[in-house]
Amino acid sequence: MNDTPVKQQNTAAYYGQAVASFAIALGAVSLGVLRLEADAWVRAFLAIAVLYLTTSAFTLAKVIRDRQEAGQIVSRVDQARLEKLLAEYDPFNAKS
């Protein structure tokens, strides 16, 4: 009954691909906003929107990760309590 979950680790290649993909996407959007043939206030508005979207995405990812980790901790505590109860229970020594 001791199912210890294996902590998943991302490979260096996966991490590098994620960082590169983010950098390329952010750079492409930034370049597009800068080269856009529009007034400066329109480009500034789009730049602020990209910045807000980026920070919101990071915050959402952190919240999802934190919620998942909290769920795993609660599950481990419940599992430990159950194992303790089962270890202490002796059906042949039950008092009626």
Side-chain angles (χ1 to χ4, degrees), residues 25-48:
L26 189 60
V29 170
S30 298
L31 184 64
V33 168
L34 288 175
R35 303 220 2 124
L36 185 66
E37 293 182 13
D39 292 335
W41 71 269
V42 173
R43 289 195 310 257
F45 175 79
L46 291 175
I48 293 296

Side-chain angles (χ1 to χ4, degrees), residues 1 4-5 11-12 18-19 22-23 29 33 45 49 57-58 63 66-67 72 77 80 82-83 85 90 93:
M1 250 198 151
T4 305
T11 63
V19 170
F22 174 76
V29 170
V33 168
F45 175 79
F58 277 108
V63 167
D66 290 349
R67 180 177 281 184
Q72 289 174 347
V77 169
L82 177 63
E83 287 179 5
L85 284 173
D90 184 4
N93 194 18

Side-chain angles (χ1 to χ4, degrees), residues 2-8 72 76:
N2 193 4
D3 296 328
T4 305
V6 177
K7 186 174 180 180
Q8 295 179 343
Q72 289 174 347
R76 287 183 189 162

